[in-house]
Amino acid sequence: MAYDIRLVKLINGETVLGKWDEAANKLTEIALLQTIPSQQGVQMMLLPFGYPFETEIGGEIDGAHILYQFKKFPDELQTRYLEATSNLTLSTSGDLKNLSSLAGKGGNISNLLKK
């Protein structure tokens, strides 16, 4: 099932990610996006919206409380959100390019199989 993941700014100024429910006009499974200045620039951290009192990503926000919807945001942010909400590690296309190095010296996976 494909989810409509949206990054939005709420009327209180917070930036959150969630799964958009078109029928109910609300955002569900809310994660708060917090930016942290660092020496390399800015790092982003996803937290449950109710943090520190809630440790699980959940909840819902009515569409009336959304001030702005970002049209584009990094795919990696969406991937991290889906990993946080599903407790799964997702693979991207770039992860498969180094697969041949796992096979050993010859780069052939059949070298790993015993004959």
Side-chain angles (χ1 to χ4, degrees):
M1 178 178 183
Y3 293 108
D4 183 5
I5 309 298
R6 296 195 182 182
L7 178 66
V8 300
K9 175 115 14 205
L10 301 177
I11 57 174
N12 66 357
E14 294 179 324
T15 304
V16 298
L17 276 104
K19 296 175 183 172
W20 180 249
D21 183 350
E22 187 71 39
N25 191 37
K26 64 182 175 183
L27 208 56
T28 61
E29 296 189 42
I30 311 301
L32 177 66
L33 181 66
Q34 199 162 52
T35 55
I36 303 167
S38 69
Q39 291 180 344
Q40 292 81 24
V42 175
Q43 292 183 348
M44 291 184 273
M45 183 168 53
L46 285 176
L47 297 167
F49 188 71
Y51 184 82
F53 304 107
E54 294 178 355
T55 57
E56 298 289 323
I57 293 177
E60 56 187 47
I61 295 175
D62 188 69
H65 301 290
I66 295 173
L67 179 65
Y68 179 78
Q69 176 183 327
F70 293 88
K71 298 295 179 202
K72 291 184 178 181
F73 60 96
D75 288 337
E76 185 177 347
L77 191 56
Q78 181 174 342
T79 301
R80 298 293 174 233
Y81 170 80
L82 289 170
E83 288 177 347
T85 57
S86 67
N87 290 324
L88 296 173
T89 302
L90 302 176
S91 179
T92 61
S93 59
D95 294 340
L96 301 177
K97 67 182 176 186
N98 295 326
L99 195 57
S100 63
S101 64
L102 296 175
K105 196 174 190 179
N108 188 349
I109 195 104
S110 62
N111 292 341
L112 296 175
L113 304 174
K114 290 189 177 184
K115 296 180 182 179

